[in-house]
Amino acid sequence: MLRKTMKAKLAPVRRPPWQPLMTSVSDDAPALSAGTNSALSLIFELFPHLGSLTVQTTGGDIRVTRDFTSGNAAEVDRMLAGIFGNDQAVTGIAFPATSTKPEHTATPDNPYWPRTAKHLPPDAALAAGEIPPP
């Protein structure tokens, strides 16, 4: 009953821009059922802060993460550039660290989200305060 209620609440929400990505180091890991895949997707929707889950199986662990299409990164980069272009008072947008990525701050000079973040040369990174002085 709870699952039906949650699905009904999420139904009006558009489809998420990701799909579950499952990886395993074991060739013996079983293929998961459509119902399990659906439930894992729902867990990620209910807990958007989750970076990944590990499904433990008799054939080995399966790591489940979100797989975003490549177009999403470019779209987010365009949005960030728009924010910095439209609001001169915005000097940075901080993306928190995840289990796979360190914290990153997009700036007017570096308007990219973590997946596509451009690395500044050492002197520019130092000037931007992204690395501590020697």
Side-chain angles (χ1 to χ4, degrees), residues 3-4 9-11 16 18 25 27 33-34 43 60-61 68 72 76-78 81 94 96 100 103 105 109-110 119 133:
R3 185 170 179 192
K4 277 188 172 182
K9 286 183 179 184
L10 292 171
W18 52 266
V25 296
D27 291 335
S33 69
I43 290 169
D61 290 352
F68 290 87
N72 290 341
V76 170
D77 289 347
R78 280 191 292 279
T100 59
E103 181 177 311
T105 301
D109 295 333
N110 188 23
H119 295 285

Side-chain angles (χ1 to χ4, degrees), residues 90-113:
V90 176
T91 59
I93 298 173
F95 292 86
T98 67
S99 60
T100 59
K101 292 178 181 58
E103 181 177 311
H104 168 73
T105 301
T107 64
D109 295 333
N110 188 23
Y112 304 99
W113 85 296

